[in-house]
Amino acid sequence: MAGRRGFFRTISAILSGGLLEKWLAPSAVASAQPFQGPGSGPANHRSTQGISGNDPIREEFDLVVVGGGIAGTTAAIAAARNGLRVALVHNRSMLGGNSSSEVKLFPENNSGHQPWIKEGGIHDEFHTEERVRNHFEYREGIMNCHWDLVLYEKVLLEPNLRLFLNTHAHGVLMKGENRIGSVLALQIGTEKSFELSAPLFIDSSGDGFLGHLAGAEYRWGREARSEYNEPLAPPEADEKVMGNTLFFRAVDTGKPVPFKRPEWAALFESEADLPARNHQYIEGGYWWIEVGAPHHPITDNEEIRHEALRQLLGVWDHIKNHGDHGAENYGLEFVGFWPYKRECRRIVGDYVLTQQHLQDPKTLPDAVAYGCWGIDIHVQGGILNRKEEPYPSPHTNANWESRGTSVYGIPLRALYSRNIPNLMMAGRPISGSYVAFSSSRVLSTGSIVGQAVGTAAALCKKHSTGPRGIAEAHVKELQQMILRQDGHIPGVANEDPLDLARQASRVTASSQAKLEFPDPDRERELIFPHAQLFPISGDHIEAVQLLLRSNLREDAEIRLGLRAAESVWDFRSNPDLAEARARVPAGREEWVRFALNARVEPSRLYYVYTGAHPGVFWKAYSHAPTEPSRIPVGSTPADLPGERRWRPINQGNALCLQVFPESQPYSPRNVIAGTNRPDTWTNIWVSDPAAPLPAWIELGWDSPQSFNLVQLTFDTNPLRRETAPLFRYPDCVKDYTLEARIGGSWQSLAEVRDNYSRRRLHRIDKVRSDALRIRVEATNGAPSARIYEVRVYEEV
């Protein structure tokens, strides 16, 4: 027993950093050093023995991923699915990192910031499965074991993936001066030490710890405004950064529960002590219980944990004992002891994301993921700074122009170290300025970045090169792999030459929906200019009608402009294609017709916009949570609170509009063209909601094709952020049959019941067929069948 106690004392000291340098020889392992510039870090790295003098267990892999948060877990799964033998090393007992039930930060998708952009791929698998299983809502402070179990189960299902939980990567062995050869790790609970070797590594540690050990060039703190010409950067560089947060969970016991504030807890006697810190929702804690400066979010993590706990208990005391917050029957069920970190070392790649790219993005040839979270820089000090608001929201009228973002591509060049050629990054440590990092750091963005680098790792093995080699010579192949596996990359469409569906000469369906906006349930005053984007199938727009209401005493003349749009989230075009004027009668509500008489390019997106007209209201509709979507796919409303940057009105909204002649943008041919979500077009087949199910769609070839894999992408609505418990996306196909025409007769290939997943792969015995049909018998609640994509392959 004495030996076992000594082991745990050693582990505790190592993990706290107190005995690391004493336990290891001074040059044994690359240790933490302040950043000194390119190539910084120790040059000599040697192995260490296992605990109690035993040699470490040595294992070899194709890829070692350090950090099992949502980014690292996704990266490991993606790599394993693409054929690599992967080690996933995580120093906690459960996967998920900040999103785990140990911390309870929920992975908000980006649809709250831009339309039609909810993350897909492996991340959608996590979210969809967790919502089906979880009896609690999806929000911060509420995350529970179901999320942990979904991530764990997804990892277990991958035969190529080896999971090392409770395993702390504490050192690296280098091959030469600048290549990582192995990761050294200690596993708490088993008394084992490991030496894990691979030709390629991913740092998804959250802190950029692996890159730091290896001597990767990295940035810390805020760059000076002049370095990247970023308006939101400070005049001079500094190390002022955001803080760490603890969450709590409270439950209603049905009877009064007293709470006595510990003497060591903070005190918040009045609402003035919590300025701009909303605490009406009392069940799940708050992101703003954040402790930052003067503490360092990495080296002072223990001090921050204690201080954040002081503040958390003080906030709970305020809710329970200072004012009526409706908390009499509530008691604390959970208090976090592992802080949610925001900051990290930002490992420098061949490309650095900056504020300009976030707000005025250009197409990047090596884009492999995307982001669009607003520029989210919190106030210095967090809750210790009681004089200021926690952070200036990028969505307010005052801040949108300076802090709002667009959908921007994240290039592969920002996802590998520029001086450690076999190191990639996923999650927070990617290459970006501090301002850009404040957007790219969020969980869901990290997850899709993880899928991108995990997939890139597989190509590195295939082509016997590193990630830089993939960026230079094989990025188009990588992009097509990501799309095939349900990822999305702005501006990149399906061009897979192996996809037999793209060669179909005919795509027909039982019916198709027309463009139709729902009836209003609200209205928006035209205090700012407003716009509505929509898809047009034909080559001209004769007129549009807006449902307007005026409370003015006199008639008002409104000018309406028509412009082209490059994508469902892009309102940056300037020249008007046409304009029209019409009068809005005083004191009335009616459809107002604008005769545009414009010739347009078919199968494209356009938007109409008004100026500001206070006293005039554009009737609108807002989607009801959990209900089937009535928002036309590929449509986006927006307003203009500043001078030039339109702000999408997100989360399922539409302005009431009629288009003449009628548009038919949901053609069956959409399933073999474009991408797997709305971007430059609708990219979806929707059956006529007036025609009852079943509905069918059929692909035909001029000559029989041999295939053994059919891939279907259904609709889990990329427009919405759903948080309801035990939830299934109602627009997703539930029951369907897959049929092939073989020798002139239809044969069933697969029958599926009770589906709720977006992407389904059907591996079948090889058939030779001249037609494929998907017959949709039922959805999870919507009146229409919806299919984004059909792919067909002959796999060897």
Side-chain angles (χ1 to χ4, degrees):
M1 287 299 294
R4 186 177 295 267
R5 287 195 298 269
F7 163 76
F8 282 109
R9 283 197 297 269
T10 302
I11 287 291
S12 176
I14 288 169
L15 296 187
S16 66
L19 292 179
L20 182 59
E21 294 182 0
K22 297 179 182 179
W23 186 69
L24 300 172
S27 60
V29 178
S31 59
Q33 299 290 332
F35 170 58
Q36 299 295 329
S40 65
N44 299 316
H45 307 71
R46 298 198 302 269
S47 180
T48 181
Q49 289 185 315
I51 293 173
S52 301
N54 296 322
D55 286 338
I57 300 169
R58 295 180 173 88
E59 300 196 39
E60 294 185 358
F61 297 87
D62 297 318
L63 172 70
V64 174
V65 180
V66 174
I70 191 171
T73 301
T74 305
I77 291 172
R81 288 181 179 179
N82 283 286
L84 296 192
R85 187 165 179 263
V86 182
L88 175 57
V89 181
H90 189 49
N91 61 5
R92 314 302 294 177
S93 60
M94 60 193 71
L95 296 167
N98 282 338
S99 69
S100 72
S101 64
E102 181 182 33
V103 180
K104 296 188 182 296
L105 176 69
F106 84 116
E108 289 182 81
N109 68 60
N110 271 309
S111 64
H113 293 256
Q114 290 287 339
W116 306 105
I117 205 62
K118 188 186 78 170
E119 292 75 8
I122 296 170
H123 186 79
D124 190 77
E125 294 178 32
F126 294 160
H127 167 73
T128 302
E129 186 65 36
E130 190 269 351
R131 281 298 83 201
V132 169
R133 299 183 186 186
N134 204 329
H135 55 287
F136 279 117
E137 62 182 319
Y138 186 68
R139 64 186 298 170
E140 57 193 17
I142 308 295
M143 302 299 289
N144 61 19
C145 66
H146 293 288
W147 177 257
D148 305 332
L149 288 169
V150 165
L151 300 188
Y152 187 68
E153 180 179 299
K154 290 290 184 181
V155 167
L156 291 184
L157 290 174
E158 300 303 326
N160 292 330
L161 206 169
R162 174 86 178 277
L163 177 61
F164 294 83
L165 286 177
N166 299 304
T167 303
H168 176 64
H170 63 83
V172 296
L173 303 179
M174 302 296 287
K175 294 181 69 173
E177 292 296 312
N178 67 345
R179 298 185 69 87
I180 304 173
S182 305
V183 163
L184 305 177
L186 303 171
Q187 189 171 63
I188 302 172
T190 66
E191 305 184 12
K192 295 176 182 177
S193 61
F194 296 92
E195 181 183 320
L196 307 176
S197 302
L200 198 62
F201 297 81
I202 294 175
D203 187 338
S204 50
S205 64
D207 289 339
F209 183 63
L210 178 60
H212 183 37
L213 289 177
E217 181 182 351
Y218 66 85
R219 308 301 299 267
W220 179 264
R222 305 188 296 179
E223 296 88 354
R225 186 174 303 158
S226 59
E227 182 162 357
Y228 296 114
N229 194 29
E230 295 175 303
L232 289 178
E236 303 294 333
D238 60 39
E239 295 191 358
K240 295 178 180 179
V241 294
M242 292 178 277
N244 303 350
T245 289
L246 289 181
F247 290 108
F248 65 79
R249 174 82 167 98
V251 295
D252 186 347
T253 68
K255 58 184 179 182
V257 179
F259 178 78
K260 181 179 179 180
R261 181 181 65 86
E263 291 183 2
W264 51 272
L267 178 62
F268 298 90
E269 292 184 295
S270 71
E271 295 297 315
D273 292 326
L274 291 168
R277 290 169 169 85
N278 188 308
H279 47 280
Q280 293 179 338
Y281 178 79
I282 61 176
E283 294 186 13
Y286 315 108
W287 61 263
W288 48 257
I289 302 179
E290 170 189 349
V291 174
H295 301 287
H296 190 288
I298 295 177
T299 60
D300 295 337
N301 189 54
E302 288 298 293
E303 291 85 350
I304 287 176
R305 175 197 48 76
H306 175 70
E307 184 59 43
L309 191 57
R310 287 187 65 246
Q311 302 296 321
L312 184 155
L313 294 174
V315 170
W316 184 244
D317 169 65
H318 172 84
I319 291 171
K320 290 286 293 184
N321 302 320
H322 299 275
D324 184 7
H325 296 89
E328 182 181 7
N329 293 348
Y330 278 82
L332 286 176
E333 181 182 69
F334 166 89
V335 168
F337 276 80
W338 185 252
Y340 147 44
K341 288 184 179 179
R342 293 177 176 85
E343 295 292 342
C344 73
R345 305 171 181 93
R346 305 186 302 282
I347 298 174
V348 180
D350 284 344
Y351 184 96
V352 178
L353 293 170
T354 64
Q355 179 180 345
Q356 286 78 3
H357 180 60
L358 272 58
Q359 296 185 315
D360 190 19
K362 305 295 189 294
T363 300
L364 300 175
D366 62 328
V368 292
Y370 63 85
C372 68
W373 195 270
I375 296 175
D376 189 353
I377 301 174
H378 294 200
V379 66
Q380 293 296 308
I383 197 170
L384 301 181
N385 183 349
R386 298 193 186 186
K387 296 180 180 180
E388 297 184 59
E389 295 184 11
Y391 88 118
S393 169
H395 299 291
T396 64
N397 297 338
N399 293 333
W400 172 255
E401 189 80 15
S402 62
R403 294 177 181 264
T405 63
S406 187
V407 176
Y408 56 89
I410 297 177
L412 184 60
R413 287 169 293 157
L415 306 181
Y416 59 79
S417 166
R418 74 180 182 187
N419 73 308
I420 306 295
N422 66 336
L423 175 65
M424 293 194 289
M425 302 85 76
R428 299 200 304 275
I430 72 173
S431 180
S433 71
Y434 185 78
V435 175
F437 158 83
S438 72
S439 167
S440 67
R441 65 182 172 82
V442 296
L443 291 174
S444 296
T445 300
S447 182
I448 59 175
V449 165
Q451 180 165 349
V453 296
T455 308
L459 279 187
C460 288
K461 180 179 181 180
K462 175 182 176 180
H463 294 292
S464 300
T465 188
R468 180 178 284 119
I470 299 300
E472 292 174 347
H474 306 286
V475 73
K476 290 189 180 297
E477 181 181 2
L478 173 59
Q479 290 171 332
Q480 292 302 312
M481 289 176 66
I482 292 169
L483 261 62
R484 179 174 174 177
Q485 294 165 23
D486 196 34
H488 177 69
I489 306 167
V492 179
N494 178 12
E495 298 176 353
D496 189 347
L498 300 179
D499 180 6
L500 298 174
R502 296 180 63 240
Q503 303 172 24
S505 55
R506 303 175 306 280
V507 187
T508 56
S510 55
S511 66
Q512 69 183 62
K514 62 183 178 181
L515 177 65
E516 188 171 18
F517 285 82
D519 293 333
D521 63 1
R522 65 198 60 216
E523 60 188 15
R524 292 182 63 90
E525 186 174 7
L526 301 183
I527 297 172
F528 304 122
H530 275 64
Q532 177 65 55
L533 182 149
F534 50 90
I536 291 294
S537 58
D539 63 0
H540 73 287
I541 301 175
E542 177 185 321
V544 298
Q545 290 190 164
L546 280 57
L547 185 55
L548 302 175
R549 182 181 71 83
S550 172
N551 65 4
L552 301 176
R553 295 181 178 181
E554 297 180 355
D555 292 355
E557 182 180 77
I558 290 184
R559 176 191 177 275
L560 192 76
L562 172 70
R563 293 178 177 177
E566 291 299 319
S567 71
V568 290
W569 50 75
D570 195 342
F571 289 81
R572 287 181 294 176
S573 62
N574 289 317
D576 285 352
L577 302 178
E579 67 170 73
R581 297 177 184 272
R583 299 196 71 78
V584 181
R588 291 170 56 183
E589 176 185 314
E590 63 180 46
W591 287 100
V592 179
R593 186 178 182 89
F594 295 83
L596 292 168
N597 298 315
R599 283 287 169 185
V600 296
E601 184 179 343
S603 300
R604 281 204 60 181
L605 304 174
Y606 298 89
Y607 66 93
V608 292
Y609 70 96
T610 72
H613 293 278
V616 176
F617 298 78
W618 195 341
K619 305 298 286 188
Y621 170 82
S622 185
H623 169 78
T626 76
E627 295 296 318
S629 178
R630 297 178 59 203
I631 303 298
V633 176
S635 67
T636 304
D639 65 4
L640 187 65
E643 293 184 2
R644 66 180 188 90
R645 301 190 66 249
W646 288 91
R647 176 178 60 182
I649 303 168
N650 298 311
Q651 293 283 54
N653 289 276
L655 301 172
C656 293
L657 183 75
Q658 294 176 343
V659 180
F660 302 94
E662 188 176 86
S663 182
Q664 300 275 349
Y666 308 118
S667 155
R669 195 161 190 87
N670 287 342
V671 302
I672 65 168
T675 67
N676 53 27
R677 67 173 61 216
D679 45 32
T680 61
W681 185 238
T682 62
N683 300 319
I684 192 172
W685 166 63
V686 181
S687 70
D688 185 352
L693 298 175
W696 55 263
I697 186 170
E698 181 181 314
L699 281 64
W701 294 272
D702 291 336
S703 59
Q705 306 291 312
S706 295
F707 57 87
N708 56 5
L709 173 63
V710 178
Q711 176 178 316
L712 306 176
T713 304
F714 299 122
D715 185 7
T716 53
N717 203 331
L719 183 64
R720 291 159 59 173
R721 179 185 289 168
E722 290 288 358
T723 62
L726 302 175
F727 174 76
R728 299 182 179 206
Y729 283 92
D731 304 302
C732 186
V733 169
K734 181 180 181 182
D735 302 333
Y736 64 96
T737 302
L738 192 63
E739 302 171 318
R741 191 167 62 198
I742 303 172
S745 62
W746 288 99
Q747 298 183 20
S748 176
L749 303 178
E751 292 186 4
V752 177
R753 298 295 179 265
D754 203 32
N755 174 64
Y756 50 80
S757 298
R758 170 177 159 87
R759 179 172 177 257
R760 294 299 302 260
L761 297 178
H762 292 282
R763 289 186 165 88
I764 58 176
D765 293 335
K766 187 176 293 186
V767 298
R768 189 165 177 81
S769 168
D770 67 350
L772 178 72
R773 184 163 64 197
I774 302 100
R775 182 181 296 275
V776 177
E777 282 100 25
T779 69
N780 283 281
S784 298
R786 293 168 174 243
I787 300 179
Y788 271 110
E789 189 172 58
V790 178
R791 290 179 179 237
V792 180
Y793 293 93
E794 182 181 16
E795 289 194 327
V796 178

